Amino acid sequence: MAKKNEQEFVQHITPRSVDFSQWYTDVILQTGLCDYAPVRGCMIIKPYGYAIWERIQAEMDKRFKATGHENCYMPMLIPESLLLKEAEHVEGFAPEVAWVTQGGTEQLQERLAVRPTSETIFCTMYAKWVQSWRDLPMKYNQWCSVMRWEKSTRPFLRTSEFLWQEGHTIHATAEEAEQETMQMLDVYREVAEDVLALPVYCGRKSEKEKFAGAQATYSMEAMMHDGKALQAGTSHFFGTNFSEAYGIQFLSKEGKLEYAQETSWGVSTRLIGAIIMTHGDERGLRLPPQVAPIQVVVLPIAAHKPGVLEGAKAIADRLSAIGVRVKFDDRDTVSPGWKFNEWEMKGVPVRLEVGPRDLENGQVMFARRDTFEKFSLPMEGLEGAITDLLADIQKTLFEQARDFRNEHTVEVHNYDELKAAVEGGFAKGMWCGDAACEEKLKADINATTRNMPFDQTPCGDTCCICGKHAAKLMYFAKAY
Amino acid sequence: MAKKNEQEFVQHITPRSVDFSQWYTDVILQTGLCDYAPVRGCMIIKPYGYAIWERIQAEMDKRFKATGHENCYMPMLIPESLLLKEAEHVEGFAPEVAWVTQGGTEQLQERLAVRPTSETIFCTMYAKWVQSWRDLPMKYNQWCSVMRWEKSTRPFLRTSEFLWQEGHTIHATAEEAEQETMQMLDVYREVAEDVLALPVYCGRKSEKEKFAGAQATYSMEAMMHDGKALQAGTSHFFGTNFSEAYGIQFLSKEGKLEYAQETSWGVSTRLIGAIIMTHGDERGLRLPPQVAPIQVVVLPIAAHKPGVLEGAKAIADRLSAIGVRVKFDDRDTVSPGWKFNEWEMKGVPVRLEVGPRDLENGQVMFARRDTFEKFSLPMEGLEGAITDLLADIQKTLFEQARDFRNEHTVEVHNYDELKAAVEGGFAKGMWCGDAACEEKLKADINATTRNMPFDQTPCGDTCCICGKHAAKLMYFAKAY
């Protein structure tokens, strides 16, 4: 049945084992996640990709609100003079800013940056809004697009424009701001692991790799199927770096004028890239049920036979009624075989097939996208069975990714071991803390320090790059 | 109790009856809806204002999805060459475009427009994506910010940057596209009337007032409390204007190459301005419960007395549990009188006061923001009573606005009547259809045609501007 179609369909995707990069490109284009835009380095997020982003937004946003944050919206244009106030920050971002220089027919007196990030504008407003300790903390977030004029781009991973959220908070004390930084890192970890099924290593970035203007940057690092790292979210503690530059002062309980302590944190549409490169396989996407726009696709088989369409539709409706995201695919323009392949490629976790015999026998066939298992399920109690099945697929995808990650994380003790390890995964080893070692690693094999785990139990006492005394435990990898 | 505070607090708002424009500015700044940005003509949407936008988004978005639309995201930068393809459209938008001319350190070969609207990029992609009638319709929407370099600006009503949604759909037939245009206008009307409590006149814009590039533009027009019109949403039928310019062709069922029929439709953060100027009163905002970020504020009275804080909190929790958006205001840094005024100014529909005697008597005091009525309610069955109360406030605000609108809509038969009517509201009269009459009206008293209602029952047969034969019934007003 439709064998030729099936063949053709799957041929569109380059085998992952042959060329991971081309496989990624084929998958995102063929599954309708995105398309290239007629603008340098930009992408179009198509409905299937955007629906994943909406799921990520919903899961993140409810946790932001539950931890006392409020959303707001800041202007996308930032006057150059504002951008220049924090020296490190400017240096970090200026080379990749897009500039508006004309408004209507008028040549602007001052260039306006299309925001690469919004610390500068949040700080300007916080300086205006905060007077007293009673005004603190202020815990704001915004969902928006940002622009960074990147030289080499790849959809979802690195594009000139991308969608993200940026949280910006100010606090009366460093302790409180540090707690906030950690809390938001943990919110990110929770969504990554529990919703996106992405196991992540959380820890602190090196001085070299931290955010421009931060005192400390923490990240979560996910491992892609090619063994490379993807920085999947960051949370920064600024201390008073920005508040001194922008004059964010408040009168403390004790009547003293103090600088506010600040944080910022962000995740972006990059997470969609992480899902693809972590869970995808030779047949295309595999989407964790919690983030899948479609969790179950219901296909009528031999749909021309009496009662089949109605019977299949009734099953789809039953699942919709309990909140499962269901697609009832009753197209008569393509064969069932075509549909099997299409929904497999699109990573829908569960396929249900409903034919005349199934209806007679009071059952449906299901196929799991993660394991390719096929069984029949009784119609009675289908709701519970599907709910359990989705939970099991979610768990399985996480465990597969976690096992893969663990198997590809190698403890290293010297430079040769380190260089070998990062060819196929992460290296975990001791580091002296010297940026010169990071530069050497980058120059030699284009690998970088990823982060220092919170559990700093040492695995030696010499730097795996230079051999000198080392007290820091660090993850190393090649990274996107 | 706290009389002085109350006086001072309310003094912050200029009386609406004295200076409507200053009242508006005072209200939006004092209630924390927005703030001016350090960028020409831009605004900052603060959390209280953004929370209203999130409510509007949620209500709109669920209706878009229920009518088969999908969200996506297009790049914010549009190459000048793409913008130039549809002549009328360019002419309409070019004078108000902000241009990116530098990316990083590089001078761009071609200027990039910060999108003023996205017809040009949607059309470019539709031309690529559509081949056959099987691909149609495509019904996409995006939530984003747009930029129009406006000369004179006012927060929420007209700013250089604003937030909106823009739906863009393509169809095989003109009939289907026309139906879509009408359907989305009706979705807008439903949200405006049922959620925002804004009565609107729906109808077709004149040729002069239609969207640049449309065959027909339909709008909903709301009346502000000063009698001026606010165009609160538009839905456009393009026919094949854009698809011919951008080459959106498809192979029909009959095997013929045809141009697609297109629509677009949008509402923006302007709706927040409409809510303020329709429902606000001398004491500040009055928010319809369905769109209010906080529906009920619970205030403990004599909070130091034993059991009061706990008792008040328990009531807040009971209401939260049934999905009411509740704020429990237990601040001890301001007096109850201050809180009364603050929440009144912020337009919270219901205030509940819980003191020691209320708790003893098993009751709570409530105050309605719309009518200032105060009563006590028994604790028992409070959930049902509050639900009914919120529904009644929603209905009352709509009816007040509708009655006001109807009382300030005057049927006119000649130019003197027309000129008098638009000083305090809308004029409804016959119009010859000649743009010269519109230009005269604009030049004489800065009023405009608003729209032609679908019910065209005539109220005469001569143009109320030029006196010639007239067959069109039109609404006229001064407008924001």
Side-chain angles (χ1 to χ4, degrees):
Chain A
M1 183 180 59
K3 266 293 164 209
K4 185 160 172 296
N5 262 350
E6 286 181 41
Q7 288 297 326
E8 280 174 7
F9 211 88
V10 175
Q11 277 171 18
H12 291 168
I13 301 179
T14 303
R16 185 178 63 167
S17 52
V18 170
D19 183 342
F20 190 76
S21 171
Q22 189 59 45
W23 168 86
Y24 178 77
T25 303
D26 290 349
V27 166
I28 57 175
L29 295 177
Q30 292 301 321
T31 56
L33 291 178
C34 71
D35 203 346
Y36 292 104
V39 190
R40 181 185 165 291
C42 290
M43 68 175 159
I44 281 153
I45 307 180
K46 293 179 77 174
Y48 198 54
Y50 198 83
I52 295 176
W53 182 236
E54 287 182 314
R55 294 290 313 139
I56 295 172
Q57 285 188 300
E59 293 286 345
M60 289 285 180
D61 201 69
K62 76 177 179 203
R63 287 168 176 85
F64 297 164
K65 284 174 177 153
T67 47
H69 300 86
E70 296 178 289
N71 288 333
C72 64
Y73 188 77
M74 294 284 173
M76 70 151 95
L77 297 183
I78 301 172
E80 185 167 17
S81 54
L82 283 192
L83 210 61
L84 296 178
K85 287 193 180 177
E86 211 286 335
E88 269 186 60
H89 189 68
V90 181
E91 206 181 316
F93 282 102
E96 50 187 46
V97 165
W99 296 101
V100 169
T101 62
Q102 295 163 13
T105 52
E106 161 197 6
Q107 194 71 28
L108 303 183
Q109 304 255 311
E110 181 181 16
R111 296 195 298 179
L112 302 172
V114 181
R115 67 179 154 228
T117 178
S118 303
E119 274 73 14
T120 56
I121 192 113
F122 270 95
C123 286
T124 303
M125 298 317 294
Y126 280 145
K128 178 177 172 186
W129 292 336
V130 174
Q131 271 96 42
S132 138
W133 62 272
R134 285 187 193 83
D135 302 325
L136 296 174
M138 286 191 181
K139 306 203 295 182
Y140 295 167
N141 175 64
Q142 77 175 351
W143 293 96
C144 64
S145 73
V146 285
M147 177 77 64
R148 297 178 188 176
W149 213 253
E150 300 279 0
K151 292 216 168 55
S152 79
T153 60
R154 185 178 293 189
F156 295 122
L157 302 181
R158 193 174 294 279
T159 46
S160 294
E161 183 188 11
F162 57 89
L163 302 182
W164 80 344
Q165 61 66 220
E166 45 179 326
H168 297 269
T169 69
I170 48 172
H171 306 263
T173 67
E175 293 66 35
E176 201 185 300
E178 278 167 344
Q179 270 170 25
E180 167 81 11
T181 308
M182 290 304 161
Q183 182 187 46
M184 299 325 286
L185 182 69
D186 201 56
V187 163
Y188 289 164
R189 183 203 55 73
E190 183 181 304
V191 174
E193 298 198 337
D194 298 354
V195 178
L196 314 183
L198 299 176
V200 288
Y201 287 129
C202 291
R204 183 170 175 168
K205 303 293 278 190
S206 73
E207 285 300 299
K208 180 170 181 294
E209 296 287 332
K210 75 180 187 188
F211 181 82
Q215 277 196 22
T217 290
Y218 300 86
S219 74
M220 59 177 184
E221 305 280 335
M223 185 188 291
M224 304 299 98
H225 196 80
D226 60 353
K228 282 195 188 173
L230 187 86
Q231 179 175 293
T234 48
S235 187
H236 316 290
F237 170 62
F238 290 150
T240 59
N241 279 9
F242 280 89
S243 63
E244 288 179 39
Y246 288 81
I248 311 175
Q249 285 183 298
F250 67 97
L251 215 55
S252 73
K253 266 188 194 170
E254 295 74 31
K256 274 174 41 189
L257 207 55
E258 294 185 15
Y259 285 110
Q261 301 281 336
E262 201 168 359
T263 83
S264 85
W265 29 275
V267 295
S268 74
T269 35
R270 217 170 197 222
L271 284 170
I272 299 173
I275 294 167
I276 302 163
M277 294 198 300
T278 300
H279 302 301
D281 68 9
E282 297 294 358
R283 301 187 70 82
L285 296 175
R286 296 193 306 167
L287 295 178
Q290 291 219 40
V291 80
I294 301 169
Q295 296 174 307
V296 176
V297 60
V298 177
L299 304 183
I301 306 295
H304 57 284
K305 296 264 175 83
V308 170
L309 271 178
E310 296 76 3
K313 178 72 165 49
I315 286 166
D317 289 344
R318 276 173 63 186
L319 296 176
S320 279
I322 60 159
V324 175
R325 295 186 288 278
V326 180
K327 170 81 180 177
F328 175 57
D329 184 358
D330 62 349
R331 284 177 295 173
D332 59 5
T333 47
V334 292
S335 70
W338 178 275
K339 292 181 189 178
F340 287 4
N341 282 301
E342 181 173 5
W343 296 116
E344 248 173 37
M345 186 176 74
K346 290 190 132 184
V348 173
V350 174
R351 180 177 80 229
L352 293 182
E353 301 163 24
V354 187
R357 216 170 308 162
D358 299 310
L359 288 167
E360 266 171 44
N361 299 337
Q363 63 174 41
V364 298
M365 288 298 294
F366 80 83
R368 284 174 71 138
R369 177 62 183 88
D370 57 339
T371 59
F372 295 110
E373 282 172 288
K374 282 182 76 162
F375 284 105
S376 65
L377 277 173
M379 294 270 203
E380 207 183 308
L382 189 66
E383 289 86 347
I386 293 291
T387 304
D388 292 347
L389 186 58
L390 290 171
D392 193 61
I393 294 172
Q394 182 79 28
K395 184 161 162 281
T396 302
L397 286 175
F398 178 75
E399 287 173 355
Q400 284 182 358
R402 188 199 54 201
D403 293 349
F404 179 88
R405 194 258 325 247
N406 292 349
E407 285 157 18
H408 292 79
T409 302
V410 177
E411 197 177 289
V412 298
H413 306 91
N414 57 53
Y415 200 40
D416 284 340
E417 285 179 14
L418 170 57
K419 285 191 287 188
V422 299
E423 287 309 315
F426 287 12
K428 186 180 184 179
M430 300 307 293
W431 173 53
C432 64
D434 195 336
C437 284
E438 291 177 280
E439 278 151 27
K440 177 176 164 60
L441 185 64
K442 179 98 185 165
D444 286 353
I445 56 166
N446 199 29
T448 46
T449 59
R450 301 317 304 161
N451 66 29
M452 293 172 274
F454 296 114
D455 177 358
Q456 279 282 311
T457 310
C459 62
D461 59 4
T462 57
C463 176
C464 63
I465 300 169
C466 69
K468 287 190 204 139
H469 178 74
K472 292 179 203 297
L473 184 67
M474 177 59 92
Y475 285 110
F476 304 89
K478 298 191 174 185
Y480 281 98
Chain B
M1 184 181 59
K3 266 294 166 211
K4 185 159 171 294
N5 261 351
E6 287 182 40
Q7 288 297 326
E8 279 174 8
F9 211 87
V10 174
Q11 275 171 20
H12 291 170
I13 300 179
T14 303
R16 185 179 62 168
S17 52
V18 170
D19 183 342
F20 189 77
S21 171
Q22 190 58 46
W23 167 85
Y24 178 77
T25 303
D26 290 349
V27 166
I28 56 175
L29 294 177
Q30 292 300 321
T31 56
L33 291 179
C34 71
D35 202 346
Y36 293 103
V39 190
R40 180 184 165 292
C42 290
M43 68 174 159
I44 280 152
I45 307 181
K46 293 179 76 174
Y48 198 56
Y50 198 83
I52 296 175
W53 182 236
E54 287 182 314
R55 294 290 312 140
I56 296 172
Q57 285 188 301
E59 293 285 346
M60 289 285 180
D61 201 68
K62 76 178 179 201
R63 288 169 175 84
F64 298 163
K65 284 175 176 151
T67 47
H69 301 87
E70 296 178 288
N71 287 333
C72 65
Y73 188 77
M74 295 283 173
M76 70 151 92
L77 298 182
I78 302 172
E80 185 166 17
S81 55
L82 282 191
L83 210 61
L84 296 178
K85 286 193 181 178
E86 211 286 335
E88 268 186 60
H89 189 67
V90 181
E91 207 182 315
F93 282 101
E96 49 186 47
V97 166
W99 296 100
V100 169
T101 62
Q102 294 162 15
T105 52
E106 158 199 10
Q107 194 70 28
L108 304 182
Q109 304 255 309
E110 181 181 16
R111 298 194 297 179
L112 302 172
V114 181
R115 69 180 152 226
T117 177
S118 304
E119 273 74 13
T120 55
I121 192 112
F122 270 95
C123 287
T124 303
M125 297 317 294
Y126 280 145
K128 178 177 171 187
W129 292 336
V130 174
Q131 270 95 42
S132 136
W133 63 272
R134 285 187 192 82
D135 302 324
L136 296 174
M138 287 192 180
K139 306 204 295 183
Y140 294 168
N141 175 65
Q142 79 174 349
W143 293 94
C144 64
S145 74
V146 286
M147 177 76 64
R148 297 177 187 176
W149 211 252
E150 299 279 0
K151 292 218 167 54
S152 77
T153 59
R154 184 177 295 189
F156 294 123
L157 302 181
R158 192 174 296 280
T159 45
S160 293
E161 183 189 11
F162 57 90
L163 303 182
W164 80 344
Q165 60 67 221
E166 45 180 324
H168 297 269
T169 69
I170 47 171
H171 307 262
T173 67
E175 292 66 38
E176 203 185 300
E178 279 168 343
Q179 270 170 26
E180 166 82 10
T181 309
M182 290 303 160
Q183 181 187 45
M184 300 325 287
L185 182 69
D186 201 55
V187 163
Y188 289 165
R189 182 202 58 71
E190 185 182 301
V191 174
E193 299 198 336
D194 297 353
V195 178
L196 314 183
L198 300 176
V200 288
Y201 287 130
C202 291
R204 182 170 175 168
K205 303 294 277 190
S206 73
E207 285 300 298
K208 181 171 180 294
E209 297 287 332
K210 75 180 184 187
F211 181 82
Q215 275 197 22
T217 290
Y218 300 86
S219 73
M220 58 178 184
E221 305 279 335
M223 186 188 290
M224 304 299 96
H225 196 80
D226 61 353
K228 282 194 187 172
L230 187 87
Q231 180 176 293
T234 48
S235 187
H236 315 290
F237 170 63
F238 290 150
T240 58
N241 279 7
F242 281 88
S243 64
E244 288 180 39
Y246 288 81
I248 312 174
Q249 285 184 297
F250 67 97
L251 214 55
S252 73
K253 265 188 195 171
E254 294 75 31
K256 275 173 41 190
L257 206 56
E258 293 185 15
Y259 285 109
Q261 301 282 336
E262 201 168 359
T263 84
S264 86
W265 28 277
V267 294
S268 74
T269 36
R270 215 170 198 221
L271 284 170
I272 300 174
I275 294 168
I276 302 163
M277 294 199 298
T278 299
H279 302 302
D281 67 11
E282 298 294 358
R283 301 187 69 83
L285 295 175
R286 297 193 307 165
L287 295 177
Q290 290 219 39
V291 80
I294 301 169
Q295 296 175 307
V296 175
V297 60
V298 177
L299 304 184
I301 306 295
H304 57 283
K305 296 265 174 82
V308 170
L309 270 179
E310 297 76 3
K313 177 71 164 51
I315 287 167
D317 289 345
R318 276 173 62 187
L319 295 176
S320 280
I322 59 158
V324 175
R325 294 185 289 278
V326 180
K327 170 82 181 177
F328 175 56
D329 183 358
D330 62 349
R331 284 177 295 173
D332 58 5
T333 47
V334 293
S335 70
W338 177 277
K339 292 180 187 177
F340 286 5
N341 282 301
E342 183 173 5
W343 296 117
E344 247 172 39
M345 187 176 74
K346 290 190 134 186
V348 174
V350 174
R351 180 177 80 229
L352 293 184
E353 302 162 23
V354 187
R357 215 169 310 162
D358 298 311
L359 287 167
E360 266 171 44
N361 298 337
Q363 62 175 39
V364 298
M365 288 296 297
F366 80 82
R368 285 175 69 138
R369 176 64 183 89
D370 57 338
T371 59
F372 295 109
E373 282 173 288
K374 283 182 76 162
F375 285 105
S376 65
L377 277 175
M379 295 269 204
E380 207 184 308
L382 189 66
E383 289 87 346
I386 294 291
T387 304
D388 292 348
L389 187 58
L390 290 171
D392 194 62
I393 295 172
Q394 182 78 28
K395 185 162 161 278
T396 302
L397 286 175
F398 178 75
E399 287 172 355
Q400 284 181 358
R402 186 199 56 201
D403 293 349
F404 178 89
R405 194 259 323 248
N406 291 349
E407 285 158 17
H408 292 80
T409 301
V410 177
E411 196 176 291
V412 298
H413 304 91
N414 57 52
Y415 200 40
D416 284 341
E417 285 179 14
L418 170 58
K419 283 191 288 187
V422 298
E423 287 309 315
F426 287 13
K428 185 180 185 180
M430 300 308 292
W431 173 54
C432 64
D434 195 336
C437 284
E438 291 177 280
E439 278 151 27
K440 177 177 164 59
L441 184 65
K442 180 99 185 164
D444 286 353
I445 55 166
N446 199 28
T448 46
T449 58
R450 302 316 303 164
N451 67 28
M452 293 172 275
F454 295 115
D455 176 357
Q456 280 281 310
T457 311
C459 63
D461 60 3
T462 58
C463 176
C464 63
I465 300 170
C466 69
K468 286 190 204 143
H469 178 73
K472 291 179 204 294
L473 183 67
M474 177 60 91
Y475 285 109
F476 303 88
K478 297 188 174 186
Y480 280 96

